[in-house]
């Protein structure tokens, strides 16, 4: 059963949050059947994350990792190989595409391949200009004197 949500009431009371509604909308459209390859998302620290994908049967040359503005795309495709006669084929090697939406200021630090796992390390680096800063509270008399001198 699929339901659709109307986000139009949000537009009346919020400004600049349109990308949030788009994220919600796209996540609702995401198919629950798309579970290949399996993956984990870990929090490794306050501002550090790790995505691990189980990519058995793929090599480093078969996988591409692309970081765009706020999206991480991981794609895998095996080159066409010789036909084999399998008695049982349990290791899936079909092409895949995984898309992860990244929060603001989350950057991909590195990607590595170990023991059949693709490991992507991410870190959130908030620029100093965007970090909260304390505003000193001045004396009301001092600001009033500045206004009088300017006039």
């Amino acid at each position: 059963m699929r339901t659709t949500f109307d986000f139009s009431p949000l537009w009346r009371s919020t400004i600049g949050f349109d990308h949030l509604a788009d994220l919600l909308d796209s996540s609702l459209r995401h198919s629950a059947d798309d579970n290949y390859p399996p993956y984990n998302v870990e929090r490794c620290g306050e501002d550090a994350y790790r995505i691990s994908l189980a990519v058995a049967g793929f090599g480093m040359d078969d996988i591409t990792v692309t970081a765009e503005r706020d999206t991480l795309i991981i794609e895998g495709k095996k080159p066409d190989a010789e036909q084999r006669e399998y008695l049982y084929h349990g290791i899936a090697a079909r092409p895949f595409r995984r898309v992860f939406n990244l929060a603001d200021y989350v950057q991909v630090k590195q990607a590595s391949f170990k023991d059949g796992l693709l490991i992507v390390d991410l870190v959130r680096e908030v620029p100093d200009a965007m970090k909260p800063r304390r505003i000193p509270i001045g004396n009301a008399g001092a600001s009033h004197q500045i206004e009088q001198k300017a006039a």
Side-chain angles (χ1 to χ4, degrees):
M1 180 175 142
R2 180 166 277 198
T3 59
T4 57
F5 293 100
D6 182 18
F7 293 111
S8 58
L10 291 175
W11 304 129
R12 291 190 293 256
S13 60
T14 59
I15 297 170
F17 290 97
D18 49 328
H19 69 282
L20 236 122
D22 293 340
L23 283 174
L24 286 171
D25 192 37
S26 68
S27 68
L28 290 172
R29 279 192 232 140
H30 181 66
S31 172
D33 298 334
D34 184 21
N35 56 5
Y36 178 76
Y39 66 94
N40 293 332
V41 178
E42 305 172 55
R43 183 179 203 136
C44 302
E46 187 174 330
D47 290 323
Y49 306 92
R50 174 173 284 170
I51 299 172
S52 303
L53 276 86
V55 289
F58 287 87
M60 288 190 326
D61 296 334
D62 303 331
I63 299 171
T64 59
V65 178
T66 308
E68 292 180 6
R69 194 174 122 220
D70 57 354
T71 306
L72 172 66
I73 302 168
I74 302 173
E75 296 177 294
K77 184 174 185 339
K78 299 269 304 172
D80 293 332
E82 69 215 40
Q83 292 292 336
R84 296 182 182 179
E85 181 181 345
Y86 289 99
L87 299 178
Y88 176 76
H89 190 93
I91 300 174
R94 65 182 184 263
F96 67 88
R97 177 182 166 101
R98 279 273 183 202
V99 178
F100 297 92
N101 292 313
L102 304 178
D104 292 338
Y105 311 115
V106 173
Q107 303 289 322
V108 176
K109 274 301 199 196
Q110 68 178 6
S112 58
F113 193 81
K114 181 180 179 188
D115 299 330
L117 290 176
L118 174 68
I119 299 168
V120 181
D121 291 318
L122 306 135
V123 66
R124 179 177 36 204
E125 295 176 345
V126 179
D128 289 336
M130 300 304 292
K131 290 182 181 176
R133 59 185 170 91
R134 182 174 293 265
I135 308 298
I137 300 171
N139 187 337
S143 64
H144 182 68
Q145 290 174 356
I146 293 172
E147 289 174 8
Q148 287 179 348
K149 288 180 182 178

